[in-house]
Amino acid sequence: QVQLVESGGGLVQAGGSLRLSCAPSGRTLRSYAMGWFRQAPGKEREFVATISWSGGTIFYADSVKGRFTISRDNAKNTVYLQMNSLKPEDTAVYFCAADYPAVVASTSIDEYDYWGQGTQVTVSS
């Protein structure tokens, strides 16, 4: 069992930035593809970004492309989501997820095996 712990959420004004972090508890992320998803009130959970184990494959949702950057530091066993130019519509609970074993990085929520509890991101206008 992998427990993922997210951090870095908070309240920010539109146009601001936040960086989310995700690390597993007591387990290495070796051979895991990692993803970020979000869920706004009254809406379904949606894909945000994903990165393969090597970092060589990355995908973004169209809504965040050019503003968000996913990265990973395998030496620190941590995945990041840098969020710039934040908009009020980015307000949601953000979840880190792990797909294991994973040859490719998937945008499908159904491929992910382990989930964090989420961290709230609120963007004020």
Side-chain angles (χ1 to χ4, degrees):
Q1 189 73 11
V2 177
Q3 291 184 318
L4 301 173
V5 180
E6 303 103 333
S7 61
L11 173 64
V12 65
Q13 289 189 330
S17 298
L18 284 173
R19 188 176 80 158
L20 306 182
S21 300
C22 172
S25 174
R27 195 92 173 240
T28 179
L29 290 175
R30 184 176 182 82
S31 298
Y32 289 77
M34 300 298 297
W36 287 96
F37 293 78
R38 66 187 181 185
Q39 188 166 18
K43 295 188 177 181
E44 292 188 352
R45 194 170 298 187
E46 65 176 6
F47 166 75
V48 175
T50 183
I51 186 168
S52 61
W53 152 247
S54 67
T57 301
I58 291 174
F59 296 113
Y60 295 100
D62 288 342
S63 58
V64 307
K65 205 171 292 183
R67 300 187 298 122
F68 290 11
T69 302
I70 188 171
S71 62
R72 65 192 298 164
D73 185 336
N74 288 336
K76 294 183 178 180
N77 212 31
T78 303
V79 177
Y80 304 97
L81 185 68
Q82 178 67 43
M83 305 185 295
N84 298 329
S85 302
L86 282 161
K87 304 175 181 180
E89 50 263 44
D90 294 318
T91 295
V93 177
Y94 283 70
F95 297 89
C96 172
D99 177 14
Y100 176 84
V103 176
V104 297
S106 174
T107 63
S108 172
I109 193 171
D110 295 330
E111 292 295 319
Y112 288 82
D113 306 294
Y114 305 102
W115 293 82
Q117 293 199 336
T119 184
Q120 177 70 45
V121 171
T122 303
V123 184
S124 63
S125 57

